[in-house]
Amino acid sequence: MTKTPCCVSTAENFADSCCPINGEKGKLVQLITLKSLLQPSALEQVNPNTEYFFCLTPDCQVVYFNGKGQTFSIDQIKVPVFQKEQRFDVPVCYCFGWTRERIESEINQTGQTSAEISIRNHIKAKRCGCEVNNPQGSCCLANVRQVTKSLQQNEKQ
């Protein structure tokens, strides 16, 4: 079975752009995300007139890319990237300090975690800054739910 590209980039439409390394569809991120999270030497290479995408694939070293083939890898980012690193000290929530380790600790102690409720309360209070703190450039709640579910399943075993 041959793998067909997920999308084709054109100068007019980068919305379906794919990672030039693994061919997987990327997620559009705001320029402010790159400005906040790229190392200074990488930031010097950003084209502010180009759309950039986040590569979600865990085993790909690319974090950001554009439709013209430019890439920024994990060693060019100021923080470890949740989707790319499985360490327990890597943030799941970059705004409020929730890591896999912190969530696991709560689950081990109480059988549940307050992570999602806590984050939701902060979001309601307009305290989050996902576009500048989280490498994916958007809310972490789906990641928190994924980690919580996985850890709770492990706890039951």
Side-chain angles (χ1 to χ4, degrees), residues 82-83 92 103 134 136 139-148:
F82 168 78
Q83 288 82 354
V92 179
I103 293 170
N134 188 339
Q136 73 186 28
C139 186
C140 66
L141 282 175
N143 300 336
V144 170
R145 281 187 216 105
Q146 170 197 351
V147 167
T148 300

Side-chain angles (χ1 to χ4, degrees), residues 3-9 13-29 52-58 60 62-66 83-84:
K3 186 174 181 179
T4 55
C6 68
C7 51
V8 177
S9 297
N13 182 8
F14 291 123
D16 293 331
S17 199
C18 295
C19 176
I21 303 303
N22 66 32
E24 295 295 323
K25 186 174 180 180
K27 178 185 168 300
L28 185 65
V29 291
Y52 286 90
F53 300 85
F54 177 74
C55 177
L56 294 142
T57 307
C60 183
V62 171
V63 178
Y64 301 115
F65 62 92
N66 65 22
Q83 288 82 354
K84 309 287 182 176

Side-chain angles (χ1 to χ4, degrees), residues 53-104:
F53 300 85
F54 177 74
C55 177
L56 294 142
T57 307
D59 60 353
C60 183
Q61 296 293 301
V62 171
V63 178
Y64 301 115
F65 62 92
N66 65 22
K68 299 177 186 198
Q70 183 184 30
T71 63
F72 297 103
S73 63
I74 58 173
D75 61 336
Q76 295 174 296
I77 310 299
K78 293 177 182 176
V79 297
V81 179
F82 168 78
Q83 288 82 354
K84 309 287 182 176
E85 304 229 13
Q86 296 304 308
R87 294 188 341 251
F88 265 57
D89 64 338
V90 172
V92 179
C93 172
Y94 290 82
C95 296
F96 305 109
W98 286 96
T99 62
R100 290 177 178 100
E101 184 175 57
R102 183 176 171 195
I103 293 170
E104 181 183 51

Side-chain angles (χ1 to χ4, degrees), residues 92 98 100 103-104 106-107 111-116 141-155:
V92 179
W98 286 96
R100 290 177 178 100
I103 293 170
E104 181 183 51
E106 257 196 349
I107 290 170
Q112 57 188 8
T113 179
S114 62
E116 185 173 350
L141 282 175
N143 300 336
V144 170
R145 281 187 216 105
Q146 170 197 351
V147 167
T148 300
K149 182 178 178 180
S150 174
L151 291 170
Q152 286 174 328
Q153 286 175 346
N154 289 345
E155 177 77 7

